[in-house]
């Protein structure tokens, strides 16, 4: 199968050649003819499958071949995305695939000034890639009207619902022309997504491609059970032990991101961070530096989890599990692309058992547990079944109470709290060996002595 046999026009084929795309991916093979023919599409495809080209190429073709030219404060194609990062990436794809086509593209998202976006919309655009909130703001201010929208694309629809954009989406749907083409792309198909699809799609072509990571047994995934407070040290231990030198690291909170980044920095790694409080240009810069290899370790919160376009990433480390199970799939979707082998390791504490169970239910497999010697969890992470059920440890039968006076047995003195608890070797080693200089505000509850860590990583 070639792109030419899918009926794409010459300028697009030339651009694809320049980008060195030789053969269409499965989602492209199915989506391109469907979109070209004007059909609605419902596609189960996640990042890494080539879904962006799956909708961008045929839409560019339709923009060139059909319909009136762009007019002021109007857009012909509207692509809704959950995050600004994804908005930038999708915009970039349109620019690359549509090179030389004389079409106008714009990405509009929140967190940056609205005025430049309003200015650019004055002349109108062929493709507007937008996050739902900002799009509605622009619409309310009459910077963009929806009456000329020919095609609506929902990219990562599940993520948009996860982020609480349902109301904004419904407002956009209500304002769009009823006569239009709608394409819905989602990594996962929950009941909410199906309900939304049923209300906005007309006789859609259904496309389902297996996520590259689900089929790629090349991705080795495992869980390391650990106590929460020991996570930072286990993380540093694993990184050093395995010689991991290029990884995307996910942490729940911004504080946690800063904490781990400081540890890595101190250990000699080139590190950068991405989180919600960081201005957009700084986030994009961090991503670029990571992609280029200038930064070895990119530590990020959930905000950054979706839509990062990083090919062939060998390693994802979940220091915290995501709250939403689908995010696990999206996170590890960044490894093992295009046939590369990948590793996805998750540090899981007892509190995260329900999240782990939800993830295992979603991916329909039990992730192997591999305790790390010296970091064994005192608070046990329960086992789960393949369907994600938490398997409760069978309770020990209670011993019948023997009245003290009658037993005549020697009574042990009461145990001191914590006396018999084993101190993990990890903590002992850490206490003796290294300090981070990050004694206060530790988001993982570790108290560290001051001092300099000896080992420096390459
Ligand atoms: P996406 O799933 O749209 O995020 O695309 C994942 C990555 O695959 C992006 O870096 C694309 O540039 C790349 N890609 C998409 N389609 C092809 C193709 N047919 N051949 C080679 N690379 C592709």
């Amino acid at each position: 199968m070639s792109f030419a046999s899918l009926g794409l026009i010459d300028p697009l084929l030339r651009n694809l050649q320049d980008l060195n795309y030789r053969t269409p991916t499965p989602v492209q093979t199915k989506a391109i003819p469907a979109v070209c023919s004007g059909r609605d599409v419902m596609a189960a495809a996640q990042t890494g499958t080539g879904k962006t080209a799956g909708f961008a190429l045929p839409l560019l073709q339709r923009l060139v071949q059909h319909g009136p030219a762009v007019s002021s404060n109007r857009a012909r194609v509207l692509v809704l995305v959950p995050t600004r990062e994804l908005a930038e990436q999708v915009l970039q794809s349109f620019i690359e695939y549509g090179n030389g086509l004389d079409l106008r593209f714009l990405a509009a998202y929140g967190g940056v000034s609205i005025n430049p976006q309003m200015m650019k919309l004055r002349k109108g655009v062929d493709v507007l890639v937008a996050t739902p909130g900002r799009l509605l703001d622009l619409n309310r201010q009459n910077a963009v009207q929806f009456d000329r929208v020919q095609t609506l694309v929902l990219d990562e629809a599940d993520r948009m619902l996860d982020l609480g954009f349902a109301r904004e989406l419904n407002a956009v749907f209500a304002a769009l022309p009823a006569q239009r083409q709608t394409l819905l792309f989602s990594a996962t198909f929950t009941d909410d997504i199906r309900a939304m699809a049923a209300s906005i799609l007309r006789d859609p072509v259904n496309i389902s491609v297996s996520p590259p990571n689900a089929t790629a047994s090349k991705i080795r995934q495992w869980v390391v059970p650990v106590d929460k407070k020991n996570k930072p040290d286990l993380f540093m231990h694993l990184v050093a032990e395995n010689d991991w030198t290029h990884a995307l690291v996910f942490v729940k909170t911004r504080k946690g991101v800063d904490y781990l980044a400081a540890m890595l920095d101190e250990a000699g790694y080139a590190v950068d961070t991405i989180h919600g409080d960081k201005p957009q240009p700084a986030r994009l810069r961090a991503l670029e530096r990571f992609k280029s290899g200038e930064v070895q370790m990119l530590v990020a919160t959930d905000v950054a989890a979706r839509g990062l376009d990083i090919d062939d990433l060998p390693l994802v480390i979940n220091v915290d599990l995501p709250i939403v199970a689908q995010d696990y799939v999206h996170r590890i979707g960044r490894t093992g692309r295009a046939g590369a082998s990948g590793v996805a390791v998750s540090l899981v504490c007892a509190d995260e058992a329900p999240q782990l169970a939800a993830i295992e239910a979603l991916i329909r497999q039990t992730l192997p547990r591999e305790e790390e010697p010296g970091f064994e969890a005192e608070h046990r992470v329960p086992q789960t079944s393949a369907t994600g059920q938490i398997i409760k440890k069978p309770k020990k039968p209670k011993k019948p109470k023997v009245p003290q006076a009658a037993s005549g047995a020697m009574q042990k003195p009461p145990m001191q709290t914590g006396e018999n608890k084993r101190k993990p070797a990890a903590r002992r080693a850490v206490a003796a060996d290294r300090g981070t200089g990050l004694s206060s505000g530790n988001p993982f509850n570790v108290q560290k002595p001051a001092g300099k860590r000896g080992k420096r990583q390459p």
Side-chain angles (χ1 to χ4, degrees), residues 81-100:
V81 294
T83 63
R84 14 181 166 176
E85 282 85 5
L86 189 60
E88 281 292 345
Q89 283 165 24
V90 171
L91 171 73
Q92 202 51 42
S93 298
F94 271 101
I95 292 171
E96 284 176 356
Y97 305 146
N99 182 29

PDB file of all heavy atoms in Angstrom, residues 81-100:
ATOM      1  N   VAL A  81      -8.585  19.883  20.501  1.00  0.00           N
ATOM      2  CA  VAL A  81      -7.579  19.056  21.180  1.00  0.00           C
ATOM      3  C   VAL A  81      -7.594  19.388  22.670  1.00  0.00           C
ATOM      4  O   VAL A  81      -8.012  20.485  23.049  1.00  0.00           O
ATOM      5  CB  VAL A  81      -6.160  19.323  20.608  1.00  0.00           C
ATOM      6  CG1 VAL A  81      -6.037  18.874  19.171  1.00  0.00           C
ATOM      7  CG2 VAL A  81      -5.787  20.798  20.741  1.00  0.00           C
ATOM      8  N   PRO A  82      -7.126  18.467  23.511  1.00  0.00           N
ATOM      9  CA  PRO A  82      -7.203  18.720  24.956  1.00  0.00           C
ATOM     10  C   PRO A  82      -6.148  19.675  25.502  1.00  0.00           C
ATOM     11  O   PRO A  82      -6.403  20.350  26.495  1.00  0.00           O
ATOM     12  CB  PRO A  82      -7.008  17.331  25.575  1.00  0.00           C
ATOM     13  CG  PRO A  82      -6.313  16.525  24.538  1.00  0.00           C
ATOM     14  CD  PRO A  82      -6.728  17.079  23.219  1.00  0.00           C
ATOM     15  N   THR A  83      -4.971  19.711  24.924  1.00  0.00           N
ATOM     16  CA  THR A  83      -3.879  20.489  25.528  1.00  0.00           C
ATOM     17  C   THR A  83      -3.187  21.391  24.511  1.00  0.00           C
ATOM     18  O   THR A  83      -3.255  21.154  23.306  1.00  0.00           O
ATOM     19  CB  THR A  83      -2.792  19.560  26.111  1.00  0.00           C
ATOM     20  OG1 THR A  83      -2.223  18.808  25.026  1.00  0.00           O
ATOM     21  CG2 THR A  83      -3.334  18.621  27.152  1.00  0.00           C
ATOM     22  N   ARG A  84      -2.495  22.375  25.073  1.00  0.00           N
ATOM     23  CA  ARG A  84      -1.776  23.282  24.166  1.00  0.00           C
ATOM     24  C   ARG A  84      -0.641  22.569  23.450  1.00  0.00           C
ATOM     25  O   ARG A  84      -0.343  22.865  22.302  1.00  0.00           O
ATOM     26  CB  ARG A  84      -1.221  24.490  24.878  1.00  0.00           C
ATOM     27  CG  ARG A  84      -1.189  24.426  26.367  1.00  0.00           C
ATOM     28  CD  ARG A  84      -0.632  25.707  26.888  1.00  0.00           C
ATOM     29  NE  ARG A  84      -0.859  25.864  28.309  1.00  0.00           N
ATOM     30  CZ  ARG A  84      -0.392  26.885  29.007  1.00  0.00           C
ATOM     31  NH1 ARG A  84       0.315  27.803  28.424  1.00  0.00           N
ATOM     32  NH2 ARG A  84      -0.638  26.990  30.279  1.00  0.00           N
ATOM     33  N   GLU A  85      -0.004  21.621  24.171  1.00  0.00           N
ATOM     34  CA  GLU A  85       1.097  20.895  23.514  1.00  0.00           C
ATOM     35  C   GLU A  85       0.577  20.184  22.268  1.00  0.00           C
ATOM     36  O   GLU A  85       1.186  20.233  21.205  1.00  0.00           O
ATOM     37  CB  GLU A  85       1.719  19.847  24.446  1.00  0.00           C
ATOM     38  CG  GLU A  85       2.655  20.395  25.480  1.00  0.00           C
ATOM     39  CD  GLU A  85       1.915  20.872  26.713  1.00  0.00           C
ATOM     40  OE1 GLU A  85       0.688  20.676  26.780  1.00  0.00           O
ATOM     41  OE2 GLU A  85       2.561  21.472  27.596  1.00  0.00           O
ATOM     42  N   LEU A  86      -0.563  19.526  22.447  1.00  0.00           N
ATOM     43  CA  LEU A  86      -1.101  18.794  21.300  1.00  0.00           C
ATOM     44  C   LEU A  86      -1.533  19.774  20.210  1.00  0.00           C
ATOM     45  O   LEU A  86      -1.359  19.510  19.018  1.00  0.00           O
ATOM     46  CB  LEU A  86      -2.267  17.896  21.734  1.00  0.00           C
ATOM     47  CG  LEU A  86      -2.760  16.937  20.647  1.00  0.00           C
ATOM     48  CD1 LEU A  86      -1.656  15.993  20.184  1.00  0.00           C
ATOM     49  CD2 LEU A  86      -3.953  16.115  21.128  1.00  0.00           C
ATOM     50  N   ALA A  87      -2.076  20.916  20.624  1.00  0.00           N
ATOM     51  CA  ALA A  87      -2.470  21.922  19.626  1.00  0.00           C
ATOM     52  C   ALA A  87      -1.259  22.312  18.780  1.00  0.00           C
ATOM     53  O   ALA A  87      -1.344  22.368  17.545  1.00  0.00           O
ATOM     54  CB  ALA A  87      -3.050  23.153  20.324  1.00  0.00           C
ATOM     55  N   GLU A  88      -0.137  22.558  19.431  1.00  0.00           N
ATOM     56  CA  GLU A  88       1.080  22.945  18.689  1.00  0.00           C
ATOM     57  C   GLU A  88       1.535  21.816  17.769  1.00  0.00           C
ATOM     58  O   GLU A  88       1.958  22.054  16.642  1.00  0.00           O
ATOM     59  CB  GLU A  88       2.210  23.295  19.668  1.00  0.00           C
ATOM     60  CG  GLU A  88       2.102  24.674  20.278  1.00  0.00           C
ATOM     61  CD  GLU A  88       2.316  25.797  19.253  1.00  0.00           C
ATOM     62  OE1 GLU A  88       2.815  25.523  18.154  1.00  0.00           O
ATOM     63  OE2 GLU A  88       1.949  26.950  19.555  1.00  0.00           O
ATOM     64  N   GLN A  89       1.458  20.593  18.269  1.00  0.00           N
ATOM     65  CA  GLN A  89       1.919  19.469  17.453  1.00  0.00           C
ATOM     66  C   GLN A  89       1.028  19.244  16.237  1.00  0.00           C
ATOM     67  O   GLN A  89       1.508  18.988  15.138  1.00  0.00           O
ATOM     68  CB  GLN A  89       1.965  18.191  18.284  1.00  0.00           C
ATOM     69  CG  GLN A  89       3.164  18.148  19.200  1.00  0.00           C
ATOM     70  CD  GLN A  89       3.031  17.093  20.272  1.00  0.00           C
ATOM     71  OE1 GLN A  89       2.297  16.124  20.106  1.00  0.00           O
ATOM     72  NE2 GLN A  89       3.725  17.281  21.377  1.00  0.00           N
ATOM     73  N   VAL A  90      -0.268  19.349  16.463  1.00  0.00           N
ATOM     74  CA  VAL A  90      -1.190  19.137  15.339  1.00  0.00           C
ATOM     75  C   VAL A  90      -1.006  20.259  14.315  1.00  0.00           C
ATOM     76  O   VAL A  90      -0.976  20.019  13.108  1.00  0.00           O
ATOM     77  CB  VAL A  90      -2.649  19.036  15.836  1.00  0.00           C
ATOM     78  CG1 VAL A  90      -3.627  19.038  14.679  1.00  0.00           C
ATOM     79  CG2 VAL A  90      -2.831  17.770  16.671  1.00  0.00           C
ATOM     80  N   LEU A  91      -0.852  21.477  14.819  1.00  0.00           N
ATOM     81  CA  LEU A  91      -0.602  22.601  13.910  1.00  0.00           C
ATOM     82  C   LEU A  91       0.654  22.320  13.074  1.00  0.00           C
ATOM     83  O   LEU A  91       0.659  22.499  11.858  1.00  0.00           O
ATOM     84  CB  LEU A  91      -0.413  23.894  14.706  1.00  0.00           C
ATOM     85  CG  LEU A  91       0.055  25.090  13.881  1.00  0.00           C
ATOM     86  CD1 LEU A  91      -1.074  25.606  12.997  1.00  0.00           C
ATOM     87  CD2 LEU A  91       0.576  26.210  14.777  1.00  0.00           C
ATOM     88  N   GLN A  92       1.693  21.885  13.748  1.00  0.00           N
ATOM     89  CA  GLN A  92       2.956  21.602  13.069  1.00  0.00           C
ATOM     90  C   GLN A  92       2.748  20.564  11.969  1.00  0.00           C
ATOM     91  O   GLN A  92       3.280  20.678  10.861  1.00  0.00           O
ATOM     92  CB  GLN A  92       3.976  21.099  14.108  1.00  0.00           C
ATOM     93  CG  GLN A  92       5.426  21.257  13.706  1.00  0.00           C
ATOM     94  CD  GLN A  92       5.760  22.665  13.231  1.00  0.00           C
ATOM     95  OE1 GLN A  92       5.318  23.637  13.825  1.00  0.00           O
ATOM     96  NE2 GLN A  92       6.479  22.770  12.127  1.00  0.00           N
ATOM     97  N   SER A  93       1.955  19.550  12.275  1.00  0.00           N
ATOM     98  CA  SER A  93       1.679  18.496  11.274  1.00  0.00           C
ATOM     99  C   SER A  93       0.977  19.102  10.059  1.00  0.00           C
ATOM    100  O   SER A  93       1.346  18.807   8.920  1.00  0.00           O
ATOM    101  CB  SER A  93       0.797  17.396  11.871  1.00  0.00           C
ATOM    102  OG  SER A  93       1.460  16.787  12.945  1.00  0.00           O
ATOM    103  N   PHE A  94      -0.039  19.940  10.296  1.00  0.00           N
ATOM    104  CA  PHE A  94      -0.738  20.563   9.167  1.00  0.00           C
ATOM    105  C   PHE A  94       0.242  21.401   8.336  1.00  0.00           C
ATOM    106  O   PHE A  94       0.200  21.386   7.112  1.00  0.00           O
ATOM    107  CB  PHE A  94      -1.902  21.438   9.658  1.00  0.00           C
ATOM    108  CG  PHE A  94      -3.200  20.675   9.805  1.00  0.00           C
ATOM    109  CD1 PHE A  94      -3.640  20.252  11.039  1.00  0.00           C
ATOM    110  CD2 PHE A  94      -3.972  20.367   8.687  1.00  0.00           C
ATOM    111  CE1 PHE A  94      -4.830  19.547  11.179  1.00  0.00           C
ATOM    112  CE2 PHE A  94      -5.166  19.658   8.806  1.00  0.00           C
ATOM    113  CZ  PHE A  94      -5.595  19.243  10.059  1.00  0.00           C
ATOM    114  N   ILE A  95       1.114  22.127   9.030  1.00  0.00           N
ATOM    115  CA  ILE A  95       2.069  22.980   8.310  1.00  0.00           C
ATOM    116  C   ILE A  95       2.994  22.126   7.447  1.00  0.00           C
ATOM    117  O   ILE A  95       3.237  22.422   6.273  1.00  0.00           O
ATOM    118  CB  ILE A  95       2.882  23.851   9.305  1.00  0.00           C
ATOM    119  CG1 ILE A  95       1.962  24.883   9.959  1.00  0.00           C
ATOM    120  CG2 ILE A  95       4.058  24.523   8.610  1.00  0.00           C
ATOM    121  CD1 ILE A  95       2.593  25.652  11.117  1.00  0.00           C
ATOM    122  N   GLU A  96       3.476  21.032   8.024  1.00  0.00           N
ATOM    123  CA  GLU A  96       4.411  20.171   7.271  1.00  0.00           C
ATOM    124  C   GLU A  96       3.717  19.458   6.114  1.00  0.00           C
ATOM    125  O   GLU A  96       4.200  19.478   4.984  1.00  0.00           O
ATOM    126  CB  GLU A  96       5.034  19.127   8.202  1.00  0.00           C
ATOM    127  CG  GLU A  96       6.104  19.716   9.103  1.00  0.00           C
ATOM    128  CD  GLU A  96       6.647  18.697  10.099  1.00  0.00           C
ATOM    129  OE1 GLU A  96       6.138  17.552  10.142  1.00  0.00           O
ATOM    130  OE2 GLU A  96       7.558  19.067  10.829  1.00  0.00           O
ATOM    131  N   TYR A  97       2.574  18.846   6.408  1.00  0.00           N
ATOM    132  CA  TYR A  97       1.886  18.088   5.338  1.00  0.00           C
ATOM    133  C   TYR A  97       1.340  19.024   4.274  1.00  0.00           C
ATOM    134  O   TYR A  97       1.231  18.668   3.107  1.00  0.00           O
ATOM    135  CB  TYR A  97       0.738  17.242   5.906  1.00  0.00           C
ATOM    136  CG  TYR A  97       1.118  16.300   7.019  1.00  0.00           C
ATOM    137  CD1 TYR A  97       0.229  16.016   8.061  1.00  0.00           C
ATOM    138  CD2 TYR A  97       2.368  15.668   7.040  1.00  0.00           C
ATOM    139  CE1 TYR A  97       0.566  15.154   9.094  1.00  0.00           C
ATOM    140  CE2 TYR A  97       2.712  14.801   8.069  1.00  0.00           C
ATOM    141  CZ  TYR A  97       1.815  14.562   9.098  1.00  0.00           C
ATOM    142  OH  TYR A  97       2.147  13.716  10.125  1.00  0.00           O
ATOM    143  N   GLY A  98       0.981  20.246   4.706  1.00  0.00           N
ATOM    144  CA  GLY A  98       0.337  21.172   3.765  1.00  0.00           C
ATOM    145  C   GLY A  98       1.296  22.188   3.174  1.00  0.00           C
ATOM    146  O   GLY A  98       0.846  23.200   2.614  1.00  0.00           O
ATOM    147  N   ASN A  99       2.575  21.909   3.288  1.00  0.00           N
ATOM    148  CA  ASN A  99       3.582  22.839   2.764  1.00  0.00           C
ATOM    149  C   ASN A  99       3.328  23.140   1.278  1.00  0.00           C
ATOM    150  O   ASN A  99       3.132  22.227   0.482  1.00  0.00           O
ATOM    151  CB  ASN A  99       4.976  22.190   2.952  1.00  0.00           C
ATOM    152  CG  ASN A  99       6.091  23.099   2.486  1.00  0.00           C
ATOM    153  OD1 ASN A  99       5.957  24.313   2.531  1.00  0.00           O
ATOM    154  ND2 ASN A  99       7.174  22.500   2.024  1.00  0.00           N
ATOM    155  N   GLY A 100       3.265  24.426   0.933  1.00  0.00           N
ATOM    156  CA  GLY A 100       3.083  24.829  -0.468  1.00  0.00           C
ATOM    157  C   GLY A 100       1.645  24.837  -0.946  1.00  0.00           C
ATOM    158  O   GLY A 100       1.386  25.077  -2.126  1.00  0.00           O
TER     159      GLY A 100
END
